[in-house]
């Protein structure tokens, strides 16, 4: 890395121009895939989708330095950009959306976006929110007992922090100083419930103090700020100093799911205002300011990503459905 690059914001984090290009591509892939999935829903081909638009910076920023094959990932349903960073392909995402046999998460049996992938170290998620939090603490406890250099990272929304599971997981992690990072993607709503009706505090991060470890607040629309916070938390976990809670302040730009009508609980002006802080636009602005992106390159990249997604949709749509004879697989010890 040149001296000039080392002096930039990304250079000081150890990120090269190539890293930034790859991060931007992942964020764009998540956004364009999200939009394509919603279109598939409106066409009647995808029964249910969960958009992640608006969360791309905090998802890519907090997952980018996770070590593949070493660290363990516990994402929640909105974490499309996290699983893309982990190595899940757009085709695999659509295999889940279309409930196909090859879907890595559940072989087409779970709802879409209930991510899981043995190959990538992504632990299967359940529908009840925050259940992944005690799982993360348990996995980190096992890694500590075995003396393994593994960092476990667990992502969740602000609403999840009201659940007992969340508090139990954080408490256990704090007591045992576990190598785990907790990431709250605070988008200000738990479906229709605004943060003000969910908790009497402004920052979820302050809850970490009650469990004996640091909690930090970060601009969740700034991918480099999220990366920096994760770098510190990941290093801390590897040094054996215990967990960190990172609260990324962000916003969900689309409804909660394809079944939700967000016009009933939030003003159009509020959503419009949030669009001015769109994390992809903000990162593109940074790249342009560094001379790393211009209109032509951006258009070419968007076209390439769109083509990749279109190909993934076609290939996943044509993939075989699960064999009805396997309906009870993994559900009962004996065939009912
Ligand atoms: C234990 C439990 N209670 C309620 C629900 C219904 N539910 C699904 S998602 C959700 C909102 C969660 O909000 P948050 O954690 O802030 O994440 P976001 O969807 O905003 O990203 C709720 C209440 C559930 N799945 N599990």
């Amino acid at each position: 890395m040149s001296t000039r690059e080392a002096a930039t914001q990304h250079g000081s984090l150890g990120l090269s121009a190539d890293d930034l290009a790859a991060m931007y591509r992942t964020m764009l892939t998540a956004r364009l895939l999200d939009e394509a999935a919603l279109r598939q829903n409106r066409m009647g081909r995808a029964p249910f989708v969960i958009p992640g638009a608006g969360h791309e910076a905090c998802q890519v920023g907090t997952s980018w330095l996770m070590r593949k094959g070493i660290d363990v990932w516990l994402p929640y349903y909105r974490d499309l950009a996290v699983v893309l960073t982990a190595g899940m392909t757009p085709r695999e995402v659509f295999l889940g959306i279309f409930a196909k046999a090859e879907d890595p998460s559940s072989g087409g049996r779970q709802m879409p976006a209930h991510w899981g992938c043995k190959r990538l170290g992504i632990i299967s998620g359940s529908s009840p929110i925050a259940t992944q939090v005690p799982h993360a603490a348990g996995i980190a406890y096992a890694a500590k007992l075995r003396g393994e250099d593994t960092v476990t990272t667990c992502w969740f929304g602000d609403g999840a922090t009201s659940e007992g599971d969340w508090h139990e997981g954080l408490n256990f992690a704090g007591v045992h100083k576990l190598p785990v990072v907790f990431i709250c993607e605070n988008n200000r709503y738990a479906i229709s419930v605004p943060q003000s009706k969910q908790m009497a505090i402004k920052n979820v991060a302050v809850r970490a103090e009650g469990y004996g470890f640091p909690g930090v607040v970060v601009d969740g629309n700034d991918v480099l700020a999220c990366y920096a916070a994760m770098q510190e938390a990941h290093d801390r976990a590897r040094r054996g100093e215990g967990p960190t809670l990172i609260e990324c302040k962000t916003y969900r730009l689309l409804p909660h799911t394809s079944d939700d009508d967000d016009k009933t609980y939030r003003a159009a002006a509020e959503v419009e205002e949030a669009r001015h802080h769109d994390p992809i636009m903000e990162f593109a602005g940074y790249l342009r300011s560094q001379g790393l992106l211009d209109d032509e390159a951006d258009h070419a990249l968007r076209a390439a990503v769109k083509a990749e997604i279109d190909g993934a949709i076609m290939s996943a749509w044509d993939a075989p459905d699960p064999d009805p004879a396997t309906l009870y697989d993994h559900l009962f010890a004996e065939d009912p």
Side-chain angles (χ1 to χ4, degrees):
M1 187 179 293
S2 69
T3 329
R4 199 179 142 268
E5 194 171 21
T8 59
Q9 189 189 350
H10 63 273
S12 67
L13 296 169
L15 291 168
S16 67
D18 285 348
D19 293 326
L20 298 193
M23 290 167 94
Y24 185 60
R25 188 186 177 112
T26 306
M27 288 169 68
L28 259 187
T29 304
R31 176 65 60 92
L32 298 182
L33 196 159
D34 226 35
E35 292 171 2
L38 260 179
R39 282 195 298 275
Q40 293 296 309
N41 171 261
R42 295 303 188 247
M43 286 161 69
R45 303 211 305 184
F48 182 74
V49 296
I50 306 184
H55 286 234
E56 294 90 349
C58 58
Q59 295 178 1
V60 170
T62 57
S63 55
W64 200 257
L65 55 65
M66 290 281 284
R67 296 161 302 164
K68 299 190 174 131
I70 300 173
D71 292 336
V72 180
W73 314 59
L74 291 101
Y76 80 117
Y77 49 80
R78 207 170 298 289
D79 281 325
L80 172 63
V82 170
V83 299
L84 291 176
T85 303
M88 202 173 272
T89 65
R91 178 175 185 270
E92 288 176 321
V93 173
F94 280 105
L95 287 169
I97 288 174
F98 297 144
K100 299 293 187 165
E102 285 174 76
D103 158 36
S105 296
S106 71
R109 297 300 161 78
Q110 246 289 24
M111 292 166 90
H114 286 54
W115 317 109
C117 186
K118 202 170 172 184
R119 174 183 104 243
L120 301 172
I122 301 173
I123 306 298
S124 301
S126 281
S127 291
I129 55 174
T131 44
Q132 76 275 28
V133 180
H135 294 169
I139 290 164
Y141 188 49
K144 185 170 177 167
L145 289 180
R146 292 182 187 133
E148 290 167 355
D149 171 31
T150 303
V151 176
T152 300
T153 302
C154 181
W155 291 261
F156 44 81
D158 42 293
T161 74
S162 295
E163 292 292 331
D165 275 348
W166 189 84
H167 293 270
E168 289 167 30
L170 267 76
N171 186 50
F172 191 85
V175 167
H176 296 281
K177 278 195 183 315
L178 300 180
V180 54
V181 184
F182 298 108
I183 315 269
C184 177
E185 298 175 32
N186 184 349
N187 61 21
R188 295 160 45 187
Y189 289 88
I191 314 185
S192 55
V193 179
Q195 186 183 334
S196 59
K197 294 219 170 85
Q198 182 90 228
M199 62 189 84
I201 49 175
K202 196 164 149 256
N203 297 324
V204 166
V206 300
R207 292 184 166 167
E209 198 186 337
Y211 301 117
F213 55 86
V216 295
V217 178
V218 53
D219 177 355
N221 297 330
D222 178 343
V223 66
L224 296 181
C226 294
Y227 181 89
M230 179 59 174
Q231 199 171 51
E232 217 173 305
H234 194 267
D235 285 351
R236 197 180 121 77
R238 291 189 70 196
R239 288 195 305 268
E241 291 171 21
T244 304
L245 169 62
I246 301 173
E247 177 183 5
C248 306
K249 301 280 194 190
T250 188
Y251 196 79
R252 159 168 65 70
L253 294 173
L254 293 171
H256 175 71
T257 67
S258 50
D259 284 358
D260 174 43
D261 179 3
D262 63 332
K263 291 197 246 11
T264 60
Y265 58 83
R266 57 183 194 178
E270 182 184 298
V271 183
E272 190 47 39
E273 199 325 274
R275 288 195 178 278
H276 294 296
H277 310 284
D278 183 320
I280 293 188
M281 204 177 72
E282 303 238 323
F283 193 35
Y286 178 80
L287 296 175
R288 283 169 192 268
S289 76
Q290 300 295 310
L292 300 173
L293 187 73
D294 57 23
D295 284 347
E296 201 187 325
D298 203 21
H299 288 149
L301 179 61
R302 284 170 186 269
V305 170
K306 190 178 170 303
E308 185 192 357
I309 291 169
D310 289 347
I313 292 173
M314 277 194 285
S315 166
W317 182 252
D318 290 339
D321 292 321
D323 179 350
T326 64
L327 184 63
Y328 295 118
D329 281 6
H330 314 301
L331 293 179
F332 301 97
E334 285 168 32
D335 193 341

